[in-house]
Amino acid sequence: MAIKQFSLGSILQFRKQQEDLARQKFVLAQIEEKKVEESLHVLQQELSSLIQTLEKKQETGILTFELARYEERINYLRQQISLTKRELEEKKKVVQHKKIMLLKKSKEHKILEKLKENQNIAWQEYQNKKEAAMLDEIAVLHHERNDRDTN
C-alpha cells in the first residue's frame, strides 16, 4: 500500500519567499544604480555648462583669480565624475549579481512547482487505480452474490 509522499507545500512556499526576496533585492539594486547614473549625468551637465561659461568668459576677458576658481571647480567635477563612474560600475556589478541570484531562485521555485505538480499527478493516478480496484472488487462480489442468489 503506497502512502502519499511528504507535502511540498511548505518547501514551495519557502522557495517562493526566497524568490520574492531576491526580486526585491534586485529591484533595490536597480534603483541604486539608477540614482548613481542620474548623479553622474548631473555632474557631467554641470561640468559641460561650467566649461562653456569659462570659454565665453575667456573670450571677453577674465581675471586670473576667477580663472583659477573655474579651473579648481572643473578639476573637482572631473574627480567627482571619475569617482561616480567607478561607483556606477560597482552598482552595475551588484545589479548583475542580484539578477543572477533572482534567476537562480526563480528556477528553483519553478522546479519545485513542477515536482509538486508531478507528485500530485502521481498521487491522483494512484488514487484512481485504488478506486478502480475497489470498484472491480465490488463488482465481482456483487456478481458472485447474484450468481448465488440465482442458484
Side-chain angles (χ1 to χ4, degrees):
M1 174 182 239
I3 297 174
K4 186 176 180 183
Q5 295 178 352
F6 67 94
S7 173
L8 291 172
S10 58
I11 296 171
L12 192 56
Q13 182 180 6
F14 175 75
R15 292 292 186 190
K16 178 67 176 150
Q17 289 171 346
Q18 293 292 307
E19 180 184 0
D20 291 345
L21 183 61
R23 182 172 289 107
Q24 289 173 356
K25 288 179 179 181
F26 174 64
V27 169
L28 289 175
Q30 285 181 315
I31 290 169
E32 289 296 317
E33 178 188 15
K34 197 67 160 170
K35 285 179 185 177
V36 174
E37 279 179 348
E38 290 169 3
S39 177
L40 178 61
H41 183 68
V42 167
L43 287 169
Q44 288 171 332
Q45 282 183 324
E46 184 181 349
L47 177 62
S48 177
S49 175
L50 197 60
I51 290 171
Q52 287 175 356
T53 303
L54 177 58
E55 287 172 352
K56 286 179 186 175
K57 286 194 177 261
Q58 285 176 329
E59 289 173 6
T60 60
I62 187 169
L63 297 173
T64 309
F65 78 91
E66 196 177 1
L67 176 63
R69 289 183 67 203
Y70 272 96
E71 288 178 350
E72 283 176 16
R73 182 68 182 163
I74 288 170
N75 286 334
Y76 171 77
L77 287 173
R78 285 183 175 148
Q79 288 173 350
Q80 290 303 306
I81 288 171
S82 178
L83 291 172
T84 306
K85 283 181 178 180
R86 279 187 242 141
E87 183 181 2
L88 181 58
E89 288 306 312
E90 288 300 315
K91 297 292 182 186
K92 287 180 185 243
K93 288 178 186 176
V94 169
V95 166
Q96 188 61 29
H97 174 73
K98 299 294 181 187
K99 182 179 180 180
I100 291 168
M101 294 305 294
L102 173 59
L103 292 173
K104 178 183 173 192
K105 297 295 181 183
S106 180
K107 186 175 180 180
E108 289 173 356
H109 179 241
K110 285 178 185 170
I111 288 170
L112 278 174
E113 278 182 333
K114 189 67 177 168
L115 182 62
K116 182 179 180 183
E117 184 181 311
N118 290 343
Q119 185 184 42
N120 287 341
I121 289 170
W123 177 250
Q124 188 61 48
E125 287 174 356
Y126 167 75
Q127 292 288 56
N128 290 343
K129 285 180 185 177
K130 191 174 170 183
E131 184 179 328
M134 205 177 344
L135 291 174
D136 287 347
E137 188 175 332
I138 290 171
V140 167
L141 291 173
H142 181 70
H143 183 65
E144 287 177 358
R145 191 164 147 221
N146 282 343
D147 283 349
R148 266 187 304 186
D149 289 345
T150 55
N151 286 342

